[in-house]
Amino acid sequence: MKRLSKIIVLKRFLTLLLFIFCGNIYAQENISGYLNQNEIFIGDTVDFTVVAQLEQDAQLSVNQNFIFDGFDILSSNIEHITSEKNIYKLHFKLLTCKLGDIFIDSIPVFFISSDGTNNLFFTPKTEIVVKGVLEQNGNYDIKDIKALKKIKVKTVYVLLIFTVIILVILCVYALVYSYINRPKLVVIDPQTDALNKLSLLYENRNDIKVKDFYYKMSEILRIYVSEKYNFYALEMTTSEFFKKMKPLLPNSIAPLEFKKYLSVFNLAKYSSFTPNEAEIKRNYDFTKNLLELL
């Protein structure tokens, strides 16, 4: 009996440890979502709000591309409610052209943990009913179709129609002629185009925010890499982009140096990031050198 009691106590202790362990895993992020209305008519918009309580000092990434299948996102914004509990609100105004019971599927939302690593959570999956404007038992007023009246066409109308046709033909001819004789566009190779955009961005750096400068500089690099190596880099996380680029780096650029360079773009997402002119010039030169060597 004593041995049996010890086994029961041991089982209860292990169950308690498992409960505490699972609780710690799922207590990192507290995610919830709600709609401003659960039923709408076709053509109406619905507000979908996601509330995310993240771990302390974690920060939600900006410039994310959100996509809900079956819905058009008319507007979206991220609001930091309070720093004490680190709560963020994501507001989406959605429009759909489908009817019936429709699910708003979960989508990933990226954030940076307190230790600086990239992380993500998923928005809650929810359901909404979209109704048609015409109900099944609606009261319709359908008129009988009357016999068509015979229309007499006068000579002046014929001349007017003929004149309109001639004008349309002349307009089409003018458009085709101007298209054939249009100035030929000068095709610039992707590398030269990327370097020109980077140079122009650096020249106008004082007219934009530091955060926007670093975002556009990263965008120029990722677009060029996507076009040259045939993979879509714009929506990759920093770690994914680093893994993809590591085997493509020239011998003169060490992977550790490139990883440190990418980490600057994560820091640039926050208002507290204030590099001096020398640091901005150093990151610009590194990007330019990378574009020239790839």
Side-chain angles (χ1 to χ4, degrees):
M1 291 295 291
K2 291 183 178 180
R3 184 177 179 182
L4 182 61
S5 299
K6 290 180 179 180
I7 293 174
I8 293 173
V9 171
L10 181 59
K11 286 183 176 179
R12 290 179 178 177
F13 179 73
L14 292 175
T15 302
L16 179 61
L17 285 180
L18 181 62
F19 176 80
I20 294 173
F21 176 74
C22 294
N24 287 331
I25 291 178
Y26 292 101
Q28 296 299 321
E29 298 94 28
N30 184 10
I31 314 300
S32 61
Y34 58 88
L35 300 169
N36 66 329
Q37 49 188 332
N38 296 320
E39 293 184 358
I40 61 172
F41 287 102
I42 189 73
D44 291 341
T45 60
V46 62
D47 294 333
F48 180 41
T49 303
V50 177
V51 181
Q53 182 178 355
L54 305 181
E55 59 181 300
Q56 197 63 34
D57 298 328
Q59 300 188 38
L60 208 62
S61 299
V62 298
N63 300 321
Q64 300 191 49
N65 293 323
F66 299 111
I67 298 176
F68 290 98
D69 290 338
F71 291 86
D72 291 329
I73 302 178
L74 302 182
S75 64
S76 65
N77 65 79
I78 300 174
E79 181 183 4
H80 194 190
I81 301 301
T82 173
S83 300
E84 182 179 351
K85 294 185 178 181
N86 205 20
I87 297 176
Y88 287 84
K89 272 191 177 181
L90 291 81
H91 303 280
F92 302 97
K93 185 173 289 294
L94 306 177
L95 176 68
T96 183
C97 59
K98 295 182 178 180
L99 291 173
D101 297 345
I102 304 175
F103 281 100
I104 301 177
D105 291 329
S106 300
I107 61 170
V109 179
F110 294 94
F111 68 94
I112 299 177
S113 302
S114 56
D115 59 0
T117 58
N118 290 306
N119 210 332
L120 61 83
F121 63 83
F122 288 89
T123 61
K125 186 175 182 179
T126 186
E127 184 180 11
I128 186 170
V129 178
V130 182
K131 297 181 177 181
V133 177
L134 298 178
E135 298 294 338
Q136 186 175 359
N137 297 322
N139 183 17
Y140 306 125
D141 183 18
I142 301 176
K143 305 293 184 181
D144 292 333
I145 299 176
K146 297 181 179 180
L148 297 176
K149 294 182 178 180
K150 293 182 179 181
I151 302 176
K152 294 181 180 180
V153 181
K154 296 182 179 180
T155 305
V156 66
Y157 294 151
V158 175
L159 292 175
L160 182 60
I161 294 172
F162 183 75
T163 304
V164 171
I165 293 174
I166 295 297
L167 290 175
V168 170
I169 293 174
L170 290 175
C171 290
V172 172
Y173 175 80
L175 289 174
V176 172
Y177 180 83
S178 61
Y179 178 80
I180 294 174
N181 295 278
R182 73 190 186 282
K184 303 300 181 183
L185 296 175
V186 179
V187 179
I188 303 176
D189 67 279
Q191 185 181 51
T192 303
D193 184 50
L195 289 170
N196 290 341
K197 289 179 179 178
L198 182 66
S199 177
L200 183 62
L201 176 65
Y202 184 75
E203 291 175 2
N204 296 284
R205 65 190 181 279
N206 295 325
D207 298 331
I208 60 176
K209 297 179 180 178
V210 173
K211 178 177 66 175
D212 295 334
F213 172 81
Y214 275 86
Y215 172 76
K216 291 182 181 296
M217 186 163 60
S218 174
E219 186 179 49
I220 291 171
L221 174 62
R222 289 184 180 231
I223 289 175
Y224 170 70
V225 169
S226 299
E227 292 177 352
K228 182 169 183 179
Y229 297 102
N230 296 321
F231 66 90
Y232 193 65
L234 282 177
E235 294 187 359
M236 286 184 175
T237 62
T238 303
S239 59
E240 290 173 343
F241 185 56
F242 172 75
K243 290 179 182 177
K244 197 73 175 180
M245 287 295 298
K246 188 176 180 181
L248 305 175
L249 292 175
N251 295 330
S252 58
I253 297 179
L256 187 60
E257 183 184 9
F258 180 68
K259 187 175 185 179
K260 183 179 179 181
Y261 159 77
L262 291 179
S263 65
V264 176
F265 292 102
N266 280 336
L267 295 174
K269 297 176 181 178
Y270 309 107
S271 57
S272 58
F273 179 71
T274 53
N276 56 37
E277 188 63 26
E279 291 172 326
I280 293 175
K281 181 66 165 59
R282 183 166 57 253
N283 287 298
Y284 161 75
D285 290 338
F286 190 94
T287 307
K288 181 181 178 183
N289 183 48
L290 190 60
L291 287 172
E292 291 173 342
L293 294 176
L294 285 175

